[in-house]
Each structure stands twice: as structure tokens, then as C-alpha cells.
Amino acid sequence: GQVVTGSPVRRGKGALGCVVGVQGVYRLNPFVALAASAGGSSTALPTPDNYYVGAMVNGSFGARWTPKENGPVVLSATVLEEWQDADRKDALIYENSGYLSTSLALGASWNVWAKELRSLTLQARVQAPLVQTVGDPMYQSNLSGTLGASAVVF
């Protein structure tokens, strides 16, 4: 894409990249499970103007707890770590574009209805940064929350 004048924001068609990741879950008992993940992404081919988006590495470690075995309510806590290198174009390095962030996410889900293989689940999650190092306030994480619903209807 093209750099918007006076801003590090780019508009346009983007770049071709690659993403890899791995996840693992270990169930301690019927009520508690631990999970970890690691991943990364990188620009595989630059844009036509030779711009590379900074490579990213991320990881997380979390636990989930259900008060009742196979019950409808699940509570979770996760620590997330994310690092992104600075963007670059040719020999120019955009020093204000990389960041390092550690966040804590707390979540809950409630399976409000289930019949055979069909179900309806409501979810809520709050995520807050614990520690951040950013080159530009634009990359700063803030307190965020999500509400959602998922349904299996086949």
C-alpha cells in the first residue's frame, strides 16, 4: 500500500505474508485445563514499493475452570505476550512502528442451550495491557472487551 501523508498508516493492497502457530491443551482434571500457544507471522513478499511489515511473534498461557464437570459455564484467565519488529522499506527502518506488549485476559462463556449436537453459547472477555513498550502511541493497547454468541445449527 501507499503511506498516507503525515502518518505511518498505509492504505492499499497490502503484502503477501505467512503465519505459523501451534497450540496445546492439557486437562488436569474434569474441571481445570491449561493451554499454551505460540505463533508468528512475517512478510513473505514485499509490496511493489519494497515495504516489509515487521515480523510478529506471540505466545499465550492460560487456564480454564468449569464449576461443574461438563457444565455450561467456563471461566478463563490468559496471559498474552506479543512482539512486533519495526516495519521497513529498503534500508529505511520505521523506528516508531514496533512494539512489545504483555496483557491479561479474563473470560467467561455460558452454554445457554444444547440439544444433541446443536448449541447456543454466549461469551464475554475483557483484556487489559499489563506492560507495553511502543514506538508510537498509535500501537498502544487499551482496555478492551468483547461480547459474542456462537451457535451450532447443523
Side-chain angles (χ1 to χ4, degrees):
Q2 198 76 358
V3 175
V4 176
T5 305
S7 169
V9 176
R10 295 176 61 81
R11 64 175 184 251
K13 297 180 181 172
L16 181 63
C18 58
V19 177
V20 295
V22 63
Q23 298 177 347
V25 177
Y26 178 71
R27 196 167 180 176
L28 292 174
N29 59 49
F31 306 100
V32 178
L34 301 176
S37 71
S41 63
S42 180
T43 302
L45 297 174
T47 61
D49 64 350
N50 210 30
Y51 190 92
Y52 285 84
V53 176
M56 178 184 286
V57 177
N58 58 53
S60 67
F61 180 78
R64 71 172 194 201
W65 173 69
T66 181
K68 179 180 175 187
E69 185 175 358
N70 297 322
V73 175
V74 177
L75 304 174
S76 65
T78 307
V79 174
L80 304 109
E81 185 78 22
E82 189 172 66
W83 170 81
Q84 183 169 3
D85 197 9
D87 294 356
R88 67 185 197 279
K89 180 178 177 184
D90 297 319
L92 176 64
I93 297 173
Y94 290 84
E95 304 247 350
N96 65 342
S97 61
Y99 64 89
L100 176 64
S101 176
T102 304
S103 301
L104 174 66
L106 302 175
S109 68
W110 176 31
N111 190 332
V112 295
W113 175 80
K115 183 175 182 181
E116 297 174 355
L117 296 177
R118 296 177 181 92
S119 65
L120 175 63
T121 305
L122 301 177
Q123 299 122 357
R125 177 178 159 139
V126 175
Q127 184 170 326
L130 300 175
V131 178
Q132 297 183 75
T133 304
V134 295
D136 188 308
M138 179 179 95
Y139 295 102
Q140 181 175 311
S141 296
N142 297 307
L143 178 66
S144 62
T146 58
L147 295 173
S150 61
V152 178
V153 296
F154 57 90

